[in-house]
Amino acid sequence: MKTSKMCAIFSNQHEYSHLKPLTDERALSTLYFAGKYRLMDFALSSIVNADINHIYTLISQEKVRSYLDHLGGGKEWGLDTIGSYEYLDFYQNLMRRRSRGENYFDDLILFLKTCKMPYTVFIGNKMAANFDLKAILHFHQSNGNRITPVFKRVEKDNLAPDDHTFVLSDNNVVIEQREAIELTSEAPFNLSANVYVMDTDWLIHELEKAQKSGASYDVSERLAVLAVKEKANAYEYTGYLRNIHDIASYYQANLDMLEKDKRGSLLYGKQKIITRIRNEVGTYYDKESDVKNTLISTGCTVKGEVKNSVVSRRVNFAKDSVAKNAVIMANCKLKSGADVEYAILDKNVVIEKGVTVKGKPDSPVVIKKGSVISKDFVLD
Amino acid sequence: MSTKMLGLILAGGKGTRLGKLTANQAKPAVPFGGRYRIIDFPLSNCANSGVRNVGIITQYEPLRLNNHIGNGSSWGLDGLNSSATILQPYTDNGGSKWFEGTAHAIYQNIDYIDSQDPEYVLILSGDHIYKMDYADMLAEHEKNHASLTVAVIDVPWEEAPRFGIMNTDSSGRIIEFEEKPAEPKSNHASMGIYIFNWKRLRDVLTAGFATADDMVDFGKDVIPYYLKSDERVFSYQFSGYWKDVGTIDSLWQANMEFLDGSDGLALGDRSWRIYSKNTIDAPQMITENAEVTDSMIVDGCYIDGKIKHSIISANVDVQRGSEIVDSVIMPGAKIGKNVKITKAIVGEGAVIGSNSVVGEENGEIAVVGNKEKIGVLPNENK
């Protein structure tokens, strides 16, 4: 069944050391976000919401388990239907081949040729955003572009050091691109959303050229350079976008979901965000519970106080426990009298009876996956 | 590939006593417990018991039910040698095949059952809330060399006259069946769950309809016939929670028992999960103005009001100043501002305009129908 004019390259290449320990055992793509989601759900939902079912996915070979565990057979995203085509590759593979002087883009080129789609979209893994790729394709076609980069006007706090920003002319033609780390100018910055819609034939040609000249295997970097070379018209994304690259940006992005407009833009848009199905029972709020301003997933039991927090599935808040300004991942337990504030609790964390875990608004405490905390931990 | 035991769920009933809630859908499709529909219970029990092929017999208003069941993938019934098949009445050269009773519905679907070639058929109702391991029941059926096994549950003696009562001997063999006896001799009530040896049942049904001794209903015709012909009919004693949610009162009550945990169903127990079709919804948002106590809420909800001892199903909006007490709000309902809902069931997609009052504390259970509109809802975004 042919449903789209696009195929997709989904790059899960980005990893940030500043997100440790949250990404010790999992890829950035599979980091919990907004309670029940993983970061990759956003890019992947944008892809399938545009009826794209041919996807070339680049992942890190070290973090393959968490990725495959979440994606499974791709059923939730409708990627298990006849005519769907998923191709998984490791970016280490590209690195290795390049260092051996081999043709490192051959698999990608073969994928593009096999799909026979006139257009290709490239999308990265770390931006929490909800892209309408069909609208971007429409813009691409009506501008007669060969490559259409997508950007968002942001403040400095929404930039990671390795991000690309564009210098644009008055009518949004890309004049120059810079890495965020080199920036000296003033905000706002035109952050590359790491989303590009391209003519497939042109992309194949450029990839062949690139591997002949031994250019970087980093497709995203290459595309930013090509956008300048092609003097492309850029598409401005005006919805919610958060760039997840360190603990602060991750924490803030989660708490953003407590704000009506931001939550509405990301989660209640016309395109739904799809994630893995877990068949949890509803969340139970006890007679003593006191919950305010909180986004909470199913399967939880709440007997304590939860305020200004984002909570994933199957979390247990015992009587007299308190959680404020916290991001709590799946299956955590706050025992009676536990007091958690300005903190990120990774999956399966247990806070023992009467224990206090307290960070600060600008530097939340991060508790590693599976930890059992039995002593107070308070940041001065 | 033959099937050892084929599941057949009778899901064609109208459920007249549920009034407005079944005006546009079959009873088994009625929502339960926030994120389930009643039929999820027999379907999940089948999946969890290793009954891998299930026919769902529908007749009355099947649209929602068919949509919910799809190809059975939500219950894992779409694998190899596994299937969920929706069985609708159809016409052939012999005329139309509307179902006139429980046994007649099986008779009309003989072609389907033969195609599955089962040794046993498991007949289930689509309108009961319970968890049960049918593999256990089959083991007992085989051990007894039974031709028919009927699952029974002991009900309070004073309620026994409302049920079909099975009188058994010391070995558990059923020797007498009384439909709603005024003076019951036992309190073993039939749960409407049967395991039949298919070959024998097939003969009984075809011979009956061929000789004008119509086998229309299991309770009225088939079981009495089996007893009369001295077939080996055994009871299977069940002792967990089991609730027929055929009336507004019992539906409301079953929801409240589920909320209070007094049913012992423990739906959070991951070893015997109740599966359901998943709607793609965001997590629930409890706002600064909300007050939620002793309640259950599921995905997609936006709660800006006060919720007390209630179940709020998927995608329900409750606006500021509203108060919901002792109620069940079904999926997609929109509740305006300063609404007061007490001891009520609000149907799917119902719209309750601002300042409305529904139900009262000491009254009968109030019912708002599916998609029913009360008052005017201001147009407000989340």
Side-chain angles (χ1 to χ4, degrees):
Chain A
M1 188 168 61
K2 206 160 187 170
T3 52
S4 172
K5 289 184 171 146
M6 289 184 276
C7 60
I9 303 167
F10 178 26
S11 164
N12 294 267
Q13 186 179 332
H14 276 286
E15 295 291 341
Y16 290 98
S17 55
H18 288 114
L19 271 163
K20 284 179 176 291
L22 298 176
T23 51
D24 277 355
E25 290 174 37
R26 62 167 81 86
L28 169 61
S29 300
T30 57
L31 189 55
Y32 279 91
F33 184 72
K36 67 188 284 195
Y37 304 101
R38 307 289 188 131
L39 263 185
M40 61 183 275
D41 293 336
F42 295 88
L44 199 54
S45 297
S46 292
I47 291 171
V48 299
N49 280 325
D51 299 330
I52 297 170
N53 60 0
H54 290 59
I55 306 175
Y56 177 93
T57 304
L58 270 171
I59 57 174
S60 165
Q61 63 188 27
E62 289 146 25
K63 305 275 179 69
V64 63
R65 192 191 55 81
S66 70
Y67 183 87
L68 292 181
D69 184 43
H70 186 65
L71 186 66
K75 191 175 213 153
E76 284 89 340
W77 294 267
L79 292 172
D80 64 337
T81 53
I82 300 260
S84 293
Y85 181 53
E86 288 172 81
Y87 190 105
L88 209 61
D89 204 354
F90 301 122
Y91 67 81
Q92 284 90 346
N93 217 1
L94 271 61
M95 284 166 72
R96 250 192 318 269
R97 286 194 184 175
R98 180 169 173 272
S99 66
R100 289 191 204 129
E102 295 169 10
N103 283 340
Y104 43 96
F105 285 137
D106 273 3
D107 282 352
L108 176 53
I109 291 167
L110 180 65
F111 164 83
L112 295 171
K113 286 182 172 168
T114 308
C115 291
K116 296 189 177 68
M117 296 291 171
Y119 304 99
T120 301
V121 59
F122 174 93
I123 188 164
N125 63 331
K126 61 168 185 148
M127 309 269 180
N130 194 344
F131 298 105
D132 182 348
L133 298 178
K134 278 187 179 169
I136 300 169
L137 174 63
H138 182 76
F139 176 92
H140 176 82
Q141 290 168 319
S142 53
N143 277 286
N145 280 355
R146 293 204 270 206
I147 175 168
T148 299
V150 177
F151 74 99
K152 162 93 181 161
R153 288 182 213 275
V154 298
E155 300 297 319
K156 188 138 196 167
D157 68 332
N158 211 351
L159 290 179
D162 63 337
D163 280 335
H164 296 278
T165 62
F166 297 125
V167 177
L168 302 171
S169 74
D170 289 344
N171 51 354
N172 287 349
V173 170
V174 181
I175 297 169
E176 215 182 311
Q177 64 89 19
R178 293 182 186 143
E179 281 209 23
I181 204 162
E182 307 163 345
L183 289 180
T184 48
S185 58
E186 290 299 303
F189 301 99
N190 303 316
L191 168 67
S192 165
N194 215 6
V195 174
Y196 297 88
V197 171
M198 296 158 281
D199 290 358
T200 303
D201 290 343
W202 172 85
L203 176 63
I204 291 170
H205 179 68
E206 288 297 334
L207 289 171
E208 278 169 347
K209 261 195 346 205
Q211 69 180 3
K212 259 181 216 149
S213 66
S216 168
Y217 65 88
D218 186 335
V219 182
S220 145
E221 198 179 296
R222 187 83 204 139
L223 295 178
V225 171
L226 287 169
V228 179
K229 202 178 137 206
E230 290 288 328
K231 298 189 178 60
N233 284 84
Y235 177 94
E236 181 168 4
Y237 170 75
T238 54
Y240 176 84
L241 180 145
R242 238 321 150 160
N243 198 1
I244 313 278
H245 57 93
D246 59 11
I247 296 293
S249 59
Y250 173 71
Y251 179 69
Q252 191 50 50
N254 273 285
L255 294 191
D256 277 354
M257 292 301 105
L258 299 177
E259 290 176 39
K260 200 170 178 171
D261 293 349
K262 294 173 175 171
R263 181 176 66 244
S265 172
L266 189 62
L267 303 181
Y268 299 115
K270 67 175 173 0
Q271 304 193 130
K272 285 191 173 186
I273 306 297
I274 303 159
T275 189
R276 187 175 169 199
I277 291 171
R278 298 308 303 245
N279 280 294
E280 304 292 352
V281 70
T283 282
Y284 177 68
Y285 301 79
D286 174 83
K287 287 189 182 74
E288 310 288 317
S289 76
D290 180 10
V291 182
K292 303 271 188 213
N293 195 33
T294 289
L295 189 69
I296 185 164
S297 314
T298 42
C300 298
T301 305
V302 188
K303 297 182 175 176
E305 182 182 336
V306 187
K307 301 216 163 124
N308 308 324
S309 295
V310 175
V311 181
S312 188
R313 290 156 158 161
R314 294 192 317 286
V315 177
N316 202 313
F317 299 91
K319 200 166 179 282
D320 298 322
S321 66
V322 178
K324 286 180 186 164
N325 303 299
V327 175
I328 302 177
M329 299 186 208
N331 212 23
C332 286
K333 280 188 176 57
L334 277 72
K335 295 199 176 169
S336 170
D339 187 358
V340 174
E341 193 170 2
Y342 299 116
I344 299 171
L345 308 188
D346 203 336
K347 196 176 172 182
N348 298 335
V349 162
V350 178
I351 309 293
E352 290 287 0
K353 277 185 183 174
V355 171
T356 300
V357 172
K358 217 163 245 179
K360 290 198 223 167
D362 53 353
S363 62
V365 172
V366 181
I367 306 295
K368 260 181 92 155
K369 184 173 171 182
S371 308
V372 177
I373 306 297
S374 48
K375 278 187 194 147
D376 288 358
F377 189 95
V378 180
L379 283 188
D380 300 321
Chain B
M1 165 103 195
S2 70
T3 306
K4 186 170 183 192
M5 180 159 78
L6 174 68
L8 291 163
I9 302 180
L10 299 163
K14 179 172 178 183
T16 315
R17 290 171 301 161
L18 284 176
K20 290 193 251 187
L21 298 176
T22 51
N24 61 350
Q25 65 183 7
K27 179 157 94 170
V30 169
F32 178 82
R35 56 150 302 179
Y36 307 99
R37 292 183 190 273
I38 297 168
I39 198 159
D40 293 338
F41 289 85
L43 274 174
S44 300
N45 286 338
C46 280
N48 290 328
S49 302
V51 177
R52 296 164 56 83
N53 291 281
V54 183
I56 300 103
I57 299 174
T58 65
Q59 178 158 282
Y60 172 77
E61 285 284 352
L63 200 61
R64 166 77 75 178
L65 200 55
N66 296 357
N67 174 277
H68 183 69
I69 294 164
N71 66 351
S73 65
S74 300
W75 299 268
L77 294 170
D78 61 336
L80 290 175
N81 306 321
S82 179
S83 61
T85 308
I86 293 178
L87 302 166
Q88 279 285 119
Y90 59 95
T91 61
D92 64 9
N93 289 333
S96 72
K97 293 193 169 187
W98 291 98
F99 310 143
E100 280 146 30
T102 49
H104 187 240
I106 302 299
Y107 173 72
Q108 296 288 49
N109 283 296
I110 278 180
D111 288 350
Y112 163 75
I113 301 169
D114 282 347
S115 75
Q116 296 287 325
D117 189 22
E119 192 175 349
Y120 305 104
V121 289
L122 167 70
I123 315 274
L124 303 166
S125 300
D127 45 12
H128 294 150
I129 305 291
Y130 65 112
K131 281 180 172 179
M132 180 171 170
D133 189 346
Y134 305 133
D136 250 18
M137 182 172 169
L138 178 61
E140 205 155 305
H141 180 83
E142 287 182 311
K143 196 185 82 192
N144 290 328
H145 301 285
S147 174
L148 160 63
T149 298
V150 181
V152 298
I153 186 165
D154 288 356
V155 294
W157 279 93
E158 63 273 19
E159 285 180 30
R162 297 200 294 114
F163 290 92
I165 295 297
M166 300 290 168
N167 300 321
T168 56
D169 67 14
S170 55
S171 70
R173 196 174 145 234
I174 296 170
I175 47 173
E176 188 184 15
F177 167 66
E178 293 178 289
E179 184 69 35
K180 299 184 178 150
E183 286 172 29
K185 293 176 201 144
S186 90
N187 62 342
H188 305 317
S190 167
M191 300 166 71
I193 299 170
Y194 314 112
I195 292 177
F196 282 98
N197 293 356
W198 171 236
K199 222 170 163 184
R200 180 65 190 141
L201 177 63
R202 194 186 191 286
D203 286 348
V204 169
L205 292 176
T206 45
F209 282 102
T211 57
D213 185 10
D214 288 1
M215 294 286 154
V216 175
D217 189 86
F218 283 114
K220 287 197 193 82
D221 307 309
V222 178
I223 297 174
Y225 178 85
Y226 265 64
L227 290 172
K228 221 164 47 196
S229 348
D230 201 31
E231 292 278 336
R232 291 180 66 80
V233 182
F234 279 78
S235 65
Y236 170 76
Q237 188 76 40
F238 178 76
S239 57
Y241 179 86
W242 175 77
K243 190 104 180 172
D244 182 337
V245 286
T247 63
I248 294 290
D249 277 5
S250 63
L251 179 63
W252 181 85
Q253 204 184 350
N255 271 288
M256 290 300 141
E257 285 165 354
F258 168 55
L259 177 59
D260 299 340
S262 59
D263 55 14
L265 273 178
L267 296 189
D269 173 10
R270 286 161 81 91
S271 68
W272 197 275
R273 267 192 240 198
I274 301 301
Y275 301 94
S276 188
K277 185 182 176 187
N278 206 285
T279 51
I280 307 161
D281 298 309
Q284 54 202 280
M285 182 68 203
I286 312 295
T287 71
E288 191 65 41
N289 312 300
E291 233 176 89
V292 182
T293 51
D294 199 11
S295 293
M296 182 166 274
I297 302 180
V298 305
D299 282 346
C301 290
Y302 176 79
I303 309 293
D304 205 19
K306 195 169 168 182
I307 315 290
K308 209 173 141 188
H309 196 236
S310 295
I311 292 181
I312 314 292
S313 312
N315 286 313
V316 170
D317 284 1
V318 180
Q319 293 183 14
R320 199 168 302 178
S322 288
E323 189 176 350
I324 298 175
V325 184
D326 296 334
S327 296
V328 179
I329 313 295
M330 289 186 171
K334 307 289 169 215
I335 318 288
K337 286 182 180 160
N338 305 313
V339 172
K340 183 134 172 73
I341 299 175
T342 314
K343 207 176 168 188
I345 299 178
V346 174
E348 283 189 80
V351 177
I352 315 283
S354 295
N355 306 310
S356 305
V357 176
V358 175
E360 50 185 309
E361 196 181 336
N362 298 314
E364 296 274 293
I365 291 150
V367 180
V368 178
N370 300 327
K371 294 190 179 158
E372 192 173 335
K373 285 193 170 71
I374 295 179
V376 181
L377 190 70
N379 186 13
E380 193 181 313
N381 297 324
K382 289 186 183 184

